């Protein structure tokens, strides 16, 4: 009111000189103290704006080309569906269509009601106008007098204008929105004026309503004006406006059409709340759809141009790109924070005025206390609405950022070059050795976009046409031109110069360089940390504004002593700043440790089957535990530093408050009355919370900044394919766009050199690093439309030829005319050596996104020999293959991968060793029916194979590659190739039959009829189980949980009680000034007493926190240990049913919750409970009558919390489970990255990622909106309680002002504690979903625990004697048998071959011997029954080499000897015996040594090399039984012969060797051969005896082979 009057006086003074002088009309204005001119002024301004708006629109439309308009209209008409003409519609239909144009009947009714209200106001005001007309108006002066005497006339004009706006909004579709908003502004200005004139005086003691003379009409007009100017705009729904008008949503989310009231109070969530309250679990299908503005497609269109350098973004920090993308949201957040800062002073002002009224007894008061009571109610509610509006926008923006960054990471992953994920670094510079997707110092970090052509689709849709500078390109129509990097160039010099990182410690150099592990961590932990840093704007706008306003407020009551508070606070700010620096440093170290643990866990999970079969559970557990201990050490350090900062956040404001009060009473000699204390105390508390927020948010912002840097580093510094980067003259990598040139159908190379990374060419000699180089001298062109054969020994680089053509390798020019090309215009299909299948149905794996053509599909099934396999599954081609195709054998996966390539319409087929996993009959069938069939005719085939004899008859062109990576021969003559390549000649000479290999199905033969294998992730229903809660509670307490909780709750309760007593003591101190002079109050006593309480609080606070931190670390260690032990002890069947993505999620996302989030929320729950109980007790102690209202309010709050919680739990559980599919999709894409890029399926996989991201976004947004729903309601409840208490204190029995101030202060904290107790407990229970998920993995089926009785005798095993009696096996307790009463006896030292067709039970037998599946019968190993032994003892003494070898990241030495017990001589002997050195006779720089770095999973080795290393590792173990389960499937024949010689001659005589046959010649010289069929033993005897049986199974296999005579010779040569 004062401000308004001041404004009026100033205006009158300004316009005073303008008057009638000398009878002349001079500019003059009515006195501005008449506030009814304000609405007219607003209406005039609005009219001017409307005219300008209308003029601008018309001018713009005038300059639009009419031709363009006609063209757009024609295109629109052509694309628009046929609709009925307007003339054909009935009147009713026209009326409905007209109403629908408003957004629905509700909006239409509201708009009509507003128009009716405007008309009513106009009529009432116009009728009142003639009463003040004294005479007929003829001149200007009379009009002026009239306006001065009848301001109602201007109100009538204003309402008339409002009526016109209402009519236009109903009649004009074009101007409907703008006129409605202008009308609201005009009516709202009138409402404010009338409230000020007629309602404000009622809140004062000395004023009367200005328009009281109008009588009852005044109140009628007020009601109408309030309805039209406030109620209708607030409660009217909004029409749906689609983000993309061409693709509107069929079903709209209520959030998009909610009214302002519903939007601010979140009542549009009521339907979800009620549904959730009435059901045990609310499924996703019951939730409203995701708004279109939150869908990833729209977010991508908004953000990629600012974030993705490949889409035109500037190469700058991600922060600035996000700032630009979400600038509108950030502006709204800033506005809401400013409003919230202003609203935060409503409570202290209200408390001060009420207490001042009580202190003075109302003397001198001009405003009634009822107004301040209403102020205490409305002010906090308004603040709550604004505060929750801020969080609504902030959290929605956070989810959008998370989704956008996830998509950005996924699309960038599709561009990354796959190479060795070795973990070594250059010692001299600290630069990391490149790895698959790992951070490299030189790549595209400085990339500059050149257009849209550099999108991920460019690489696959374009031809791979790359040449030296100066060479004329003849690329295909959509080719990608990428100039090569010359060896001598310094294109990466800058990258090296920037790499000034400190050389890493030796023991840590392998922890952070794993692509999959780092990517998982980026998508989980780092994005979570970025989300937690969302409130950075508060540090810039809100908190500084609050501090500034607080200083103004404090100065009004405490004078200049408030500057003592300010300067002291500033002096102390250096301490939190220093601690924050330490926290940032610790956070970086902790993230590295987390990366290391995640990598180790990811790697362990990926090879968990091998870990179990080798009995390495304890070793891997120890390895993970070491990484975990380092992470926990840093976590403990981080928490202690965070608590130090938190302590500073309490100490600094409290200390400065005491110092300020002391200065005020001691130096300024002021009276510290209760009204000053309790009003300023609220402000001091606000500042204290502000400083605490600065500190803990600074920690989160620091963590978020570190994580954002890591994401940016991954996006900008990982090495990309050559198709996306090119060196510029400054040595930086720039993005290149496809260059459209003439069609070049040639496939081949000229003087081309390829390496796996850009850095490899610059690396110095280092024997520990393997730098393979593919060299093509001269010109090599493959024949189009023919079969081209690529052959060579294991490790020679056959696969590299295909990778080079696909652009996966880095091209280095060796000549001015160097180039390579593979046109992609007609499509490329790729069948990888390591078969890659999706976790989907067989049909979807084969069609791979192509349209389903039944005829073509059936032909493909037949030609790829999959008919019989489909018949084995009850669900046929609808059978899910499981993650990594675990339900399929190696041969089946190979044929599915081949079928995918054949089914595609691609003109070029790249087939990498497709026969390696096929038996002789199947391979021959593929040759005759597929590669010679009609579906392949006319297509260009590049076929890699070891089986030259089988494939050479169909080859029209053959090239051979030597071990040095050079092309040895090329042409159509196989004889020439054999003469130039001795290794190749040995293969052809020794074996002219196809490789016979078939990894057996590790599954139950009969799958469910729906084809489902992978179980859907369970979503718990109802409340979180107490069992899950106990998991955390017992872990925190360790061995003494009761004592822990007694100390924990007691210390925090005492701290809270001391804080409450501290507040009361301040009020007691202030009450001394009510009846005594300031100099009579013993200030020193009160200051000393208050300081003593303050110090005691700090001591209690510190002790309680430190005590809890150590319990937190203990719980984190124990729960992680339980989870890892449970997973390591799981059954093989559980591994089959559970995707690794889920397991990794438990070990990353859920463990992260256990480390930080759950303990934090648990402590906050306890703290809120303490606050609520102690504050309520204080209120009741001084105001006993409020015991029942207090309890009632608490119970109502708990009820609202319970209603909210049921819906929130359902949504949060679904949200938690929605994250795992995103991670699994990432994992699947990384595993099949080359195949995805080869097929050009990036867009399809990105679309699938969109679906999963939309689901996650949908659930996350819903969950966060539910949080806002409960917050608004609890805040309203709290404001009502505080206002009721204030009303009682003012109008009830008189009480001291100190008591009233203390009670009001307690009421505010009590009501706030209700909100936080409900919110935090619900959030705690929601976050405890992680405990449920972990508990679910603790309750899985486990293999038997090791016992003392299960330990074998010390001498065991002394021999390899194996006796099997009536052995039956099944994959589950209720499943069918896969082995049927198998019995046989193997003497120590015998070499036994196991043969049989696919599905005969060979691999099931090996698993049964290792007790990997459920068995019946007896197995005696060296006289000891294996079912009496501990599993680790059994499996560590039987070594199995699986068909698919698994390797760990680290050195070759660490892979051979994980336990580090053997010397180098032993390890090298094993490598020599396994045949590795024979491969390296001509290898040169590709030589493998014990110090060679091995990528995770052996990604930098060929399949054959991995199998050789796996075999060497098995030989080092020295087991008495050695099982080779098709362990040499991908090894060339020369190496295989050396291995077989080693097995015969170098193994101890008492070692029994069981070989699952992949080549008949491998087992024909065995002591015995066991033939299996359908899980039963068909034959078991010496080979020569079995061959004598004319109808024998073995003989039929031998007779059908291509080398019958050799096999008979091998069998007969056996003595």
């Amino acid at each position: 009111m004062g401000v308004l009057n001041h404004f009026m006086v100033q205006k009158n003074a300004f316009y005073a000189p303008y008057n009638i002088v000398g009878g002349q009309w001079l500019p003059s204005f009515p006195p501005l103290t008449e506030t009814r001119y304000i609405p007219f002024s607003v209406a005039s301004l609005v009219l001017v704006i409307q005219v300008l708006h209308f003029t601008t629109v018309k001018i713009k439309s005038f300059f639009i080309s009419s031709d363009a308009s006609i063209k757009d209209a024609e295109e629109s008409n052509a694309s628009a569906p046929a609709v009925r003409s307007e003339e054909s519609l009935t009147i009713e239909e026209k009326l409905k269509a007209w109403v629908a144009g408003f957004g629905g009947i509700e909006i239409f009714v509201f708009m009509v009601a507003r128009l009716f209200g405007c008309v009513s106001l106009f009529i009432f005001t116009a009728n009142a106008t003639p009463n003040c007309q004294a005479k007929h108006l003829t001149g200007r002066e009379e009009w002026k007098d009239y306006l001065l005497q009848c301001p109602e006339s201007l109100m009538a004009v204003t309402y008339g204008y409002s009526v016109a706006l209402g009519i236009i909004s109903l009649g004009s579709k074009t101007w409907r929105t703008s006129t409605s908003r202008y009308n609201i502004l005009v009516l709202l200005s009138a409402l404010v004026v009338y409230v000020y004139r007629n309602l404000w005086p009622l809140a004062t003691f000395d004023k009367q309503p200005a328009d009281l003379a109008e009588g009852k009409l005044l109140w009628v007009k007020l009601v109408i004006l309030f309805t039209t100017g406030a109620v209708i705009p607030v409660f009217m729904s909004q029409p749906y406006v689609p983000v993309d008008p061409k693709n509107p949503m069929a079903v709209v989310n209520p959030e998009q059409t909610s009214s302002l009231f519903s939007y601010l109070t979140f009542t549009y969530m009521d339907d979800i709340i009620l549904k959730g309250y009435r059901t045990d679990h609310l499924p996703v299908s019951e939730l409203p759809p995701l708004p279109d503005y939150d869908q990833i497609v729209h977010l991508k269109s908004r953000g990629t141009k600012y974030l993705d350098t490949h889409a035109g973004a500037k190469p700058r920090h991600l922060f600035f790109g996000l700032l630009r993308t979400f600038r509108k949201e950030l502006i709204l957040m800033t506005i809401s924070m400013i409003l919230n800062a202003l609203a935060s002073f409503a409570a202290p002002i209200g408390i001060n005025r009420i207490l001042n009224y009580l202190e003075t007894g109302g003397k001198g008061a001009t405003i009634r206390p009822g107004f301040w009571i209403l102020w205490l109610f409305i002010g906090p509610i308004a603040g709550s609405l604004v505060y929750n509006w801020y969080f609504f926008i902030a959290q929605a923006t956070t989810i959008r950022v998370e989704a956008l960054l996830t998509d950005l990471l996924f699309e960038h992953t599709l561009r990354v070059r796959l190479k060795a994920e070795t973990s070594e670094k250059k010692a001299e510079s600290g630069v990391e050795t490149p790895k698959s997707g790992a951070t490299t110092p030189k790549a595209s970090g400085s990339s500059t976009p050149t257009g849209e052509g550099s999108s991920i689709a460019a690489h696959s849709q374009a031809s791979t046409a790359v040449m030296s500078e100066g060479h004329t390109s003849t690329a295909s129509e959509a080719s990608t031109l990428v100039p090569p990097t010359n060896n001598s160039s310094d294109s990466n010099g800058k990258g090296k110069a920037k790499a000034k990182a400190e050389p890493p410690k030796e023991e840590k150099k392998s922890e952070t360089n794993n692509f999959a592990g780092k990517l998982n961590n980026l998508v989980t932990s780092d994005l979570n940390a970025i989300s937690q840093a969302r409130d950075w704007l508060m540090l810039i706008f809100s908190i500084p504004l609050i501090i500034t306003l607080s200083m103004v407020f404090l100065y009004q009551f405490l004078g200049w002593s408030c500057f003592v508070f300010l300067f002291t606070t500033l002096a102390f700010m250096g301490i939190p700043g220093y601690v924050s620096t330490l926290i940032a440093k610790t956070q970086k170290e902790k993230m590295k440790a987390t990366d290391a643990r995640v990598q180790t866990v990811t790697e362990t999970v990926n090879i968990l089957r091998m870990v179990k079969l080798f009995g390495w559970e304890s070793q891997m557990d120890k390895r993970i535990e070491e990484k975990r201990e380092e992470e926990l050490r840093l976590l403990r350090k981080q928490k202690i530093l965070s608590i130090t900062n938190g302590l500073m956040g309490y100490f600094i404001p409290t200390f400065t408050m005491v110092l300020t009060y002391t200065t005020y009473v001691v130096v300024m000699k002021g009276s510290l009355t209760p009204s000053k204390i309790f009003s300023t105390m609220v402000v001091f508390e606000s500042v204290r919370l502000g400083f605490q927020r600065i500190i803990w948010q600074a920690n989160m912002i620091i963590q978020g900044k570190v994580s954002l840097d890591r994401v940016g580093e991954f996006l900008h510094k990982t090495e990309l394919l050559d198709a996306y980067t090119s060196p510029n003259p400054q040595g930086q990598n720039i993005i290149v766009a496809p260059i459209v040139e003439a069609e070049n159908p040639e496939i081949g190379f000229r003087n081309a050199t390829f390496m796996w990374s850009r850095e490899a060419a610059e690396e110095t000699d280092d024997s520990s690093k393997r730098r393979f180089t593919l060299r093509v001298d001269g010109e090599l062109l493959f024949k189009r439309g023919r079969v081209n054969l690529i052959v060579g020994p294991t490790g020679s680089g056959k696969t590299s030829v295909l990778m080079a053509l696909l652009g996966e390798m880095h091209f280095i020019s060796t000549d001015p005319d160097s180039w390579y090309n593979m046109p992609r215009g007609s499509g490329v299909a790729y069948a990888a050596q390591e078969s890659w299948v999706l976790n989907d149905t067989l049909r979807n794996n084969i069609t791979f996104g192509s349209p389903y053509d039944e005829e073509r599909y059936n032909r493909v099934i037949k030609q790829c020999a999959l008919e019989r396999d489909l018949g084995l599954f009850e669900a046929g081609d609808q059978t899910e293959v499981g993650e990594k195709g675990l339900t399929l054998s190696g041969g089946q996966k190979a044929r599915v991968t081949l079928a995918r390539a054949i089914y595609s319409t691609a003109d070029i087929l790249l087939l990498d060793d497709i026969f390696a996993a096929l038996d002789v009959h199947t391979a021959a069938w593929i040759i005759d029916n597929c590669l010679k069939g009609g579906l392949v005719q006319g297509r260009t085939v590049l076929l890699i194979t070891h089986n030259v004899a089988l494939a050479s008859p169909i080859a029209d062109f053959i090239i051979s590659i030597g071990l040095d990576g050079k092309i040895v021969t090329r042409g159509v003559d196989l004889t020439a190739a054999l003469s130039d390549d001795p290794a190749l000649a040995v293969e052809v000479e020794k074996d002219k039959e196809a490789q016979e290999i078939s990894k057996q199905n590790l599954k139950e033969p009969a799958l469910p009829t729906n084809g489902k294998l992978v179980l859907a992730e369970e979503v718990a229903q109802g409340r979180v189980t107490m069992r899950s809660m106990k998991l955390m509670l017992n872990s925190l307490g360790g061995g003494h949980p009761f004592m822990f909780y007694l100390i924990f709750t007691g210390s925090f309760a005492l701290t809270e009680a001391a804080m409450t007593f501290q507040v009361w003591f301040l009020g007691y101190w202030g009450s001394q000034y009510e009846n005594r002079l300031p100099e009579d109050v013993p200030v020193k006593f009160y200051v000393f007493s208050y300081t003593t309480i303050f110090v005691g609080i700090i001591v209690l606070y510190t002790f309680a926190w430190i005590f809890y931190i150590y319990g937190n670390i203990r719980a984190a260690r124990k729960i992680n240990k339980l989870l890892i032990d449970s997973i390591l002890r799981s059954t093989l069947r559980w591994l089959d049913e559970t995707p690794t993505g889920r397991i990794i999620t438990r070990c990353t996302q859920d463990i992260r919750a256990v480390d930080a989030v759950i303990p934090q929320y648990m402590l906050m729950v306890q703290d809120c409970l303490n606050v609520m109980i102690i504050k309520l007790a204080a209120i009741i102690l001084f105001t006993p009558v409020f015991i029942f209202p207090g309890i009632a309010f608490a119970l109502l709050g708990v009820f609202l919390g319970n209603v909210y919680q049921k819906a929130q739990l359902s949504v949060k559980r679904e949200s938690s489970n929605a994250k795992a599919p995103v991670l699994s999709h990432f994992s699947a894409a990384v595993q099949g990255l080359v195949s995805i890029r080869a097929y050009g399926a990036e867009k399809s996989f990105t679309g699938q990622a969109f679906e999963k991201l939309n689901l996650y976004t949908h659930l996350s947004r819903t969950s966060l909106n539910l949080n806002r729903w409960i917050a608004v309601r609890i805040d309203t409840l709290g404001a009502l309680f505080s206002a009721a208490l204030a009303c009682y204190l003012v109008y009830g029995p008189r009480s001291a002002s100190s008591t009233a101030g203390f009670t009001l202060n307690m009421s505010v904290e009590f009501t706030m504690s209700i909100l936080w107790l409900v919110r935090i407990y619900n959030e705690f229970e929601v976050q405890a979903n992680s405990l449920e998920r972990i508990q679910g993995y603790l309750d899985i089926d486990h293999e038997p625990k090791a016992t003392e009785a299960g330990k074998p005798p010390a001498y065991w095993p002394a021999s390899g004697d194996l006796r099997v009696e009536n052995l039956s096996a099944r994959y589950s307790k209720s499943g069918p048998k896969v082995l049927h009463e198998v019995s046989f006896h193997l003497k120590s030292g015998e070499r036994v071959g196991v043969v049989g067709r696919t599905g005969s039970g060979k691999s099931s037998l090996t698993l049964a011997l290792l007790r990997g599946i459920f068995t019946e019968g007896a197995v005696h190993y060296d006289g000891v029954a294996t079912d009496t032994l501990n599993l680790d003892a059994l499996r560590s003494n039987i070594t199995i080499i699986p068909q698919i070898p698994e390797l760990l990241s680290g050195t070759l030495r660490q892979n051979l000897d994980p336990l580090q017990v053997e010397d180098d001589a032993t390890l090298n002997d094993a490598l020599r015996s396994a045949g590795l050195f024979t491969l390296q006779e001509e290898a040169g720089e590709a030589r493998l040594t014990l110090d060679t770095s091995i990528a995770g999973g052996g990604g930098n080795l060929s399949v054959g090399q991995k199998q050789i290393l796996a075999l060497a590792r098995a030989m080092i173990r020295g087991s008495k039984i050695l099982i080779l389960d098709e362990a040499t499937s991908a090894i060339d024949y020369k190496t295989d012969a050396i291995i077989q010689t080693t097995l015969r001659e170098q193994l101890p005589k008492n070692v029994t060797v069981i070989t699952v046959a992949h080549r008949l010649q491998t087992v024909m010289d065995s002591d015995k051969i066991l033939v299996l069929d359908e899980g039963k033993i068909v034959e078991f005897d010496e080979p020569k005896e079995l061959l004598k049986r004319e109808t024998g199974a073995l003989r039929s296999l031998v007779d059908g082979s291509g080398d019958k005579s050799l096999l008979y010779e091998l069998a007969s040569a056996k003595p």
Side-chain angles (χ1 to χ4, degrees), residues 794 946 982-983 985-991 1391 1472-1476 1478-1479 1508 1511 1515 1524 1527-1546 1555 1558-1559 1561-1563 1565 1606 1610:
T794 301
H946 282 289
V986 171
E987 294 186 6
V988 177
E989 181 180 352
K990 292 196 62 175
D991 192 359
R1391 296 177 64 251
R1472 182 179 297 105
S1473 300
L1476 178 65
T1478 63
L1479 292 177
I1508 288 175
L1511 180 60
M1515 295 173 68
L1524 282 75
T1528 57
S1529 62
I1531 297 177
D1532 61 74
Y1533 294 82
K1534 177 182 176 182
T1535 307
D1536 188 18
I1538 294 175
I1539 292 173
Q1540 298 305 322
T1541 301
T1542 300
L1543 295 177
R1544 285 191 296 267
E1545 299 177 1
Q1546 296 193 15
T1555 304
H1558 54 90
R1559 300 173 179 138
Q1561 70 170 32
T1562 301
V1563 297
D1565 62 346
L1606 176 61
L1610 289 173

Side-chain angles (χ1 to χ4, degrees), residues 547 566-580 645 648 652-653 690-691 694-695:
I547 293 175
L566 178 63
F567 295 134
T568 309
T569 301
L570 292 176
F572 277 111
M573 283 304 293
I575 299 176
Y578 174 71
V579 177
S580 296
N645 248 2
M648 291 297 102
I652 293 174
F691 277 111
I694 288 177
I695 293 168

Side-chain angles (χ1 to χ4, degrees), residues 34-351:
E34 176 52 70
T35 55
R36 283 176 289 185
Y37 291 103
I38 294 177
F40 177 77
S41 302
V42 172
S44 301
L45 179 62
V46 167
L47 180 60
V48 172
I49 295 174
Q50 274 191 296
V51 171
L52 292 175
H53 186 194
F54 178 80
T55 305
T56 303
V57 171
K58 289 302 179 181
I59 292 174
K60 284 184 178 181
S61 63
F62 177 78
F63 285 102
I64 296 176
S65 172
S66 59
D67 293 338
S69 301
I70 295 172
K71 182 178 178 181
D72 292 341
E74 291 175 350
E75 292 178 353
S76 176
N77 293 334
S79 60
V83 295
R84 293 174 60 188
S85 63
E86 187 175 348
E87 292 77 7
S88 64
L89 297 177
T90 64
I91 296 178
E92 183 180 357
E93 288 174 334
K94 289 181 180 180
L95 182 61
K96 288 182 178 179
W98 183 58
V99 171
F102 289 89
I105 185 66
E106 177 189 344
I107 298 176
F108 176 74
V109 170
F110 270 112
M111 294 182 70
V112 171
R114 179 166 56 201
L115 178 60
F116 179 78
C118 293
V119 171
S120 300
L121 288 172
F122 175 74
I123 293 173
F124 290 145
T125 308
N127 287 336
T129 301
N131 296 332
C132 63
Q133 184 175 352
K135 59 182 179 178
H136 183 67
L137 303 176
T138 58
R140 291 181 177 180
E141 185 174 351
E142 293 176 355
W143 275 106
K144 176 201 168 188
D145 293 339
Y146 173 72
L147 293 178
L148 290 173
Q149 297 171 12
C150 295
E152 279 292 318
S153 60
L154 291 182
M155 290 302 303
V157 173
T158 300
Y159 292 139
Y161 176 60
S162 180
V163 171
L165 290 176
I167 294 173
I168 294 174
S169 65
L170 283 174
S172 174
K173 186 175 182 180
T174 304
W175 302 99
R176 180 174 299 151
T177 302
S178 61
T179 53
S180 295
R181 291 173 180 173
Y182 292 143
N183 201 2
I184 291 171
L185 183 61
V186 171
L187 292 172
L188 193 59
S189 65
L191 176 62
V192 171
V193 167
Y194 270 85
V195 167
Y196 170 74
R197 289 172 59 85
N198 299 290
L199 294 183
W200 165 246
L202 298 178
T204 65
F205 286 108
D206 55 353
K207 295 182 183 297
Q208 292 293 325
D211 302 314
L212 202 59
E214 295 185 25
K216 295 182 180 179
L217 183 61
L218 169 65
W219 308 112
V220 173
K221 289 166 63 178
L222 271 174
V223 171
I224 296 175
L225 191 57
F226 178 74
T227 302
T228 56
V231 174
I232 291 179
V234 168
F235 288 92
M236 185 173 70
S237 300
Q238 300 300 313
Y240 166 60
V241 180
V243 175
D244 182 3
K246 296 180 180 179
N247 298 291
M249 297 180 63
V251 180
V252 181
N253 189 301
E255 176 187 314
Q256 299 173 275
T257 59
S258 62
S259 64
L260 181 61
F261 175 80
S262 178
Y263 186 76
L264 291 176
T265 60
F266 301 92
T267 54
Y268 60 85
M269 302 294 294
D270 288 349
D271 185 55
I272 298 176
I273 291 288
L274 294 176
K275 285 182 179 178
Y277 184 66
R278 293 167 182 165
T279 59
D280 290 333
H281 179 73
L282 189 64
V284 180
S285 59
E286 294 293 324
L287 300 178
L290 179 68
D292 47 7
Y293 48 71
D294 280 329
Q295 294 175 9
I296 188 62
V297 173
H298 171 64
L299 295 177
K300 183 180 177 183
S301 66
R302 285 183 64 185
T304 50
K305 56 188 174 184
Y306 304 121
L307 298 170
D308 191 355
T309 55
H310 303 272
K314 296 179 181 179
R316 57 183 178 180
H317 198 283
L318 282 177
F319 173 77
F320 299 104
L322 293 172
L323 207 65
R324 182 71 184 274
T325 302
F326 298 101
R327 56 190 180 277
K328 293 181 180 179
E329 288 89 339
L330 294 174
I331 291 172
L332 290 176
M333 289 164 61
T334 303
I335 294 172
S336 63
M337 283 187 294
I338 294 174
L339 293 176
N340 178 64
L342 296 174
S344 65
F345 288 88
I349 291 174
I351 290 174

